[in-house]
Amino acid sequence: MVKPLAFKGDKKSKKRKHREAGDNQETALTTNTQNAATAAEDDSWVTADAPGDITGPIIFALPTVPPTCIACDANGKVFTSEIENIVEGDLATAEPHDVRQVWVANRVSGTEHISFKGHHGRYLGCDKFGILSATREAISAEESFLCVASTDTPGTFNIQTQRDKFLTLGDESKAPEVRGDAEAISFNTTFRIRMQARFKPRLKANKELKAREKVSRKELEEVVGRRLDDDEVRRLKKARREGDYYERILDVRVKGKHDKVLPPDIYRLEEDSRPQFVSVSFA
């Protein structure tokens, strides 16, 4: 399900949680789902470190004074917009405050190139004159870009067009303008890409791992159906991290059944159930 973008300062709606009755295994499944939902709702913004990180909603933070980013209006006109959500001018803390500043990055199928879709559903493109616009509804060569990681400044990129030119800031004597006609990499072609944390592959993997590890002794005992000793709890938590959780749950359940001590009376035959022997004499 696609979620609307959330910006810093927006009020978050509270969701009611309904607890439904179910068996012990459903309780554990519900806990896993809630943990995954919490990770999916993370709307914080982080810096993309590598080209493989760039996916989902992003902003292009530009090295201008004051800091700006690439934006577009409803007609597809590309312009620079001042960044309001930023700490002391540090581009590594930049976040959007206007949906026009946000682009959705997606990998172009079968290539290393990336497309950037604007808020109005059209793609960022660069024509042969280096002029940027966002007016096309389909992806062509002009709407495909290669994000080259900067070797001088970690966490920054040089955005290359299909004509082997780079996006760059225009004449500094005028209002900040972005073009796509730079022949070589320079300070003006080096941008920082900020993205939502929940789309960053490494962060996403770490959160999923932590969600799997987060299980209490009480939840484990509810799933198994009995009290567990410390060693069993450790083994089940380890299995949860390593991916064989449900197999270990079955092992513990079977072990619990075998360990039950039957009352001694079950082995005692009742007096009236013992076999009776009758002596027969033949004349």
Side-chain angles (χ1 to χ4, degrees):
M1 180 178 178
V2 179
K3 292 178 53 184
L5 283 171
F7 299 101
K8 184 179 288 185
D10 290 351
K11 292 183 179 179
K12 294 184 179 180
S13 59
K14 295 183 180 179
K15 298 181 180 178
R16 293 182 179 179
K17 295 181 180 179
H18 299 279
R19 187 179 183 86
E20 298 180 356
D23 58 21
N24 294 329
Q25 194 159 355
E26 287 178 351
T27 302
L29 184 59
T30 301
T31 303
N32 293 344
T33 304
Q34 291 174 348
N35 290 336
T38 301
E41 291 175 358
D42 185 0
D43 56 3
S44 61
W45 290 75
V46 296
T47 298
D49 297 315
D53 292 342
I54 303 172
T55 185
I58 65 102
I59 64 170
F60 298 97
L62 308 177
T64 58
V65 180
T68 58
C69 63
I70 301 176
C72 75
D73 61 20
N75 297 319
K77 180 181 178 181
V78 174
F79 61 97
T80 56
S81 173
E82 185 173 346
I83 300 173
E84 295 182 4
N85 293 337
I86 192 168
V87 179
E88 297 181 351
D90 183 4
L91 294 181
T93 64
E95 295 185 12
H97 68 275
D98 188 333
V99 71
R100 296 180 300 173
Q101 300 173 336
V102 179
W103 303 86
V104 178
N106 279 299
R107 192 77 52 183
V108 177
S109 180
T111 71
E112 295 183 356
H113 294 83
I114 299 174
S115 65
F116 301 101
K117 182 187 284 188
H119 66 97
H120 58 333
R122 298 171 188 266
Y123 293 91
L124 178 67
C126 180
D127 66 16
K128 61 182 179 180
F129 302 108
I131 298 174
L132 298 180
S133 63
T135 57
R136 293 184 179 176
E137 296 181 350
I139 301 171
S140 68
E142 291 187 349
E143 286 73 42
S144 300
F145 299 88
L146 188 63
C147 296
V148 182
S150 173
T151 56
D152 297 328
T153 309
T156 59
F157 298 88
N158 299 283
I159 315 301
Q160 188 176 34
T161 70
Q162 289 282 13
R163 294 183 173 86
D164 295 331
K165 303 291 181 66
F166 295 92
L167 301 193
T168 183
L169 291 171
D171 189 351
E172 294 182 1
S173 63
K174 302 177 182 178
E177 179 188 9
V178 179
R179 297 181 55 83
D181 55 3
E183 299 283 349
I185 292 173
S186 66
F187 174 79
N188 284 347
T189 66
T190 304
F191 304 159
R192 189 175 293 273
I193 295 179
R194 298 279 290 166
M195 61 180 293
Q196 284 195 336
R198 60 195 174 102
F199 289 96
K200 193 169 184 178
R202 278 170 286 184
L203 291 179
K204 189 175 181 180
N206 290 338
K207 287 179 180 178
E208 289 176 351
L209 179 60
K210 289 180 180 178
R212 288 198 299 269
E213 293 175 354
K214 191 176 181 181
V215 60
S216 67
R217 185 190 197 102
K218 181 180 178 181
E219 290 169 342
L220 291 174
E221 290 178 345
E222 287 177 351
V223 173
V224 175
R226 64 175 176 85
R227 294 183 66 84
L228 301 173
D229 58 38
D230 293 340
D231 182 59
E232 288 174 326
V233 171
R234 281 193 297 271
R235 284 192 287 111
L236 288 177
K237 286 186 175 182
K238 181 180 179 182
R240 192 178 178 87
R241 292 192 300 269
E242 295 178 351
D244 56 347
Y245 172 68
Y246 292 104
E247 289 85 348
R248 299 287 79 78
I249 284 289
L250 290 175
D251 293 342
V252 173
R253 281 179 175 174
V254 171
K255 179 179 180 296
K257 290 179 181 180
H258 289 169
D259 289 348
K260 288 182 179 178
V261 179
L262 296 175
D265 290 344
I266 201 170
Y267 300 109
R268 190 177 301 144
L269 292 173
E270 299 293 340
E271 291 294 334
D272 56 358
S273 65
R274 292 180 180 178
Q276 302 294 325
F277 297 96
V278 180
S279 60
V280 180
S281 59
F282 297 92

